[in-house]
Amino acid sequence: MPGWKKLPFDSKWYANINESALTTAAAAIENMYLNEAGGHTRFPGLLPFVSDIGDDGRVYLSEFRGDMLAATSRGRFYTIDQLGTVVDRTGVPIAGGNRVIFDETEDEKVMAAGGQIIRFAGATTEILSPDAPAQCSHVQFVDSYLIANELKSGRVQYSEPGEWRTWPALNLFTAETRPDDVTAVIVTPYRELLLGGGKTIEQFERIQDANSPFGRRWGVGHGLATPYTFIATEIGNWCVDENYTFQRISGQTAQPASDDIQSVISDVGDWTDAWACYLAVAGQKFILLQIPEATNIYGTKGITLLLDSKRRRWLSLYGWNDALGLPARWPGWSAVSLWGKTYVGGEGKIYELTEDAQDNDGGVQRLLYRSGHYDRWGPVNIGKIRFRLQRGAKDNGRSA
């Protein structure tokens, strides 16, 4: 008599083969991840932390001196305390209309979004310096210098060391490997300065030179397709390269991380506002990649992919469109870890990402696992099946 067989529900998601031919991997994994026991755990939901921040723009989160900072796509800037109290700190709006990039010196928080660099030292926002680049997308701090790219050029400017409001006209250097615009500047946790452009990624380091304190150390054989997917984490540097492959970069080596789902990102037609971030939740470490304007398999806007950095497994995150009754873009635009929790910036809102929520701010959080075809044992007849399930501790009042 046939015995019990363990179905391989711990298989990875593999999107590069038509589902009718898929036998050794999962066809879909949505809003759940593989846990250490080989089972699946619901991805944390979103609880409202700030329901109305003050405008309806996309919210980009950071932190400074124990407070949460929120800059929006409307150019406004707010501080939020642990009780969720919002204070509008906008003196000078954050101009440019791009995603807001944050860093900080010993004295202030600095921000760039395509216009002038803005500083915040505790009162209200103001222009950092009239001599800093008039248009820049990225500003970063390394080795006592502030560094910013000149938008639509290959030049990078830097402040005087320790004098972050002083930007002499001759304090600049250029990307060297190939002539292209510098579209992203990041500093790794190991204090490496990386410049990215459409054709090149280069590492610069401090040197003893009378003409410039920075010199190129090496280049990577890749460029950036999307500058806001270029991020630095403790587990490597990541980007979507010029061939629309998600790469992990370490030193001069780039290793494709998206092989299992390459067909998903290769089919994207609109990479507008694509971004990535590091996300630590529930003891797990993820790299999030969102392509907000892409059309997903349900015909709605938004593809959000999550890479389990330890197990090298991918999953999809979705929100829900009530009007269509279909999955839609996961509602986050940014994330920050603060006060022992993880918070997500939405549109005019801030959420807490928590295992206590079985929904996304009251919206459906549908879990979906779709297996491949089980024919590895020959003809299969399933007479009985056993699952071990733990349902949500709270009823979200929805069914899906």
Side-chain angles (χ1 to χ4, degrees):
M1 181 177 178
W4 288 98
K5 298 285 188 180
K6 182 179 178 181
L7 298 179
F9 286 159
D10 58 349
S11 297
K12 65 182 179 181
W13 175 32
Y14 192 77
N16 295 338
I17 294 178
N18 187 284
E19 289 188 16
S20 63
L22 192 63
T23 60
T24 59
I29 302 176
E30 297 177 6
N31 292 335
M32 62 173 73
Y33 62 89
L34 184 69
N35 59 40
E36 290 88 343
H40 286 93
T41 299
R42 175 192 290 270
F43 191 77
L46 297 172
L47 281 177
F49 176 62
V50 174
S51 297
D52 183 3
I53 197 170
D55 67 66
D56 62 354
R58 300 172 181 178
V59 177
Y60 308 116
L61 296 178
S62 189
E63 61 85 23
F64 184 59
R65 297 176 179 172
D67 279 338
M68 181 185 295
L69 305 183
T72 77
S73 56
R74 306 297 185 199
R76 309 299 294 179
F77 179 81
Y78 308 89
T79 59
I80 302 98
D81 66 17
Q82 200 164 352
L83 298 177
T85 303
V86 179
V87 179
D88 190 336
R89 304 282 189 174
T90 310
V92 176
I94 304 168
N98 296 342
R99 185 177 184 85
V100 179
I101 298 297
F102 299 87
D103 209 341
E104 63 185 72
T105 71
E106 296 171 5
D107 296 337
E108 71 252 300
K109 199 76 175 183
V110 290
M111 294 157 279
Q116 288 183 291
I117 301 171
I118 300 298
R119 72 187 290 265
F120 172 72
T124 59
T125 55
E126 55 186 307
I127 293 172
L128 174 70
S129 170
D131 298 322
Q135 292 182 309
C136 75
S137 63
H138 289 67
V139 59
Q140 295 283 278
F141 178 83
V142 63
D143 293 342
S144 297
Y145 292 87
L146 274 180
I147 297 164
N149 63 323
E150 292 184 14
L151 211 59
K152 298 181 180 180
S153 84
R155 294 182 295 274
V156 176
Q157 294 188 32
Y158 56 92
S159 71
E160 286 292 279
E163 300 177 24
W164 305 296
R165 308 189 77 176
T166 303
W167 293 68
L170 295 180
N171 279 20
L172 60 86
F173 58 95
T174 61
E176 300 173 355
T177 302
R178 299 179 68 182
D180 63 351
D181 295 344
V182 175
T183 59
V185 179
I186 64 173
V187 174
T188 76
Y190 308 102
R191 314 314 296 163
E192 301 161 329
L193 174 63
L194 301 182
L195 308 183
K199 302 175 184 177
T200 61
I201 297 173
E202 300 174 298
Q203 178 181 323
F204 282 72
E205 63 179 3
R206 285 287 305 277
I207 58 174
Q208 300 299 322
D209 188 289
N211 297 315
S212 173
F214 298 98
R216 188 175 69 90
R217 183 178 181 187
W218 44 252
V220 179
H222 296 271
L224 298 179
T226 52
Y228 296 106
T229 64
F230 193 28
I231 61 169
T233 76
E234 63 184 26
I235 51 177
N237 310 310
W238 309 80
C239 73
V240 175
D241 73 4
E242 75 281 11
N243 296 314
Y244 295 97
T245 299
F246 195 57
Q247 299 276 1
R248 180 184 182 274
I249 298 171
S250 180
Q252 288 184 271
T253 303
Q255 180 181 10
S258 56
D259 285 349
D260 294 341
I261 59 158
Q262 187 58 46
S263 64
V264 175
I265 61 177
S266 293
D267 289 343
V268 169
D270 190 345
W271 283 87
T272 303
D273 296 331
W275 60 282
C277 75
Y278 174 75
L279 200 61
V281 291
Q284 312 293 320
K285 296 179 180 179
F286 297 103
I287 304 297
L288 182 149
L289 171 64
Q290 186 177 91
I291 316 162
E293 297 300 323
T295 300
N296 57 48
I297 59 173
Y298 298 103
T300 59
K301 289 291 187 182
I303 295 175
T304 306
L305 304 168
L306 211 60
L307 173 63
D308 182 332
S309 61
K310 181 178 181 181
R311 297 171 185 82
R312 295 294 191 267
R313 304 282 184 98
W314 287 92
L315 63 120
S316 294
L317 292 184
Y318 282 102
W320 190 260
N321 185 314
D322 271 329
L324 298 176
L326 291 171
R329 189 187 67 86
W330 184 72
W333 286 105
S334 64
V336 67
S337 294
L338 185 63
W339 309 316
K341 299 178 180 180
T342 298
Y343 297 91
V344 171
E347 294 181 357
K349 301 179 178 181
I350 300 173
Y351 309 104
E352 180 188 342
L353 188 66
T354 173
E355 295 174 277
D356 294 335
Q358 312 296 324
D359 56 78
N360 291 321
D361 190 19
V364 171
Q365 187 197 40
R366 186 188 72 163
L367 274 66
L368 173 68
Y369 176 91
R370 188 162 62 247
S371 72
H373 295 276
Y374 294 128
D375 58 2
R376 59 194 298 182
W377 307 301
V380 174
N381 177 41
I382 299 178
K384 295 181 181 180
I385 190 167
R386 294 188 298 203
F387 288 92
R388 179 177 294 171
L389 301 174
Q390 179 182 347
R391 299 192 65 186
K394 297 179 181 179
D395 182 3
N396 64 14
R398 307 294 295 269
S399 61

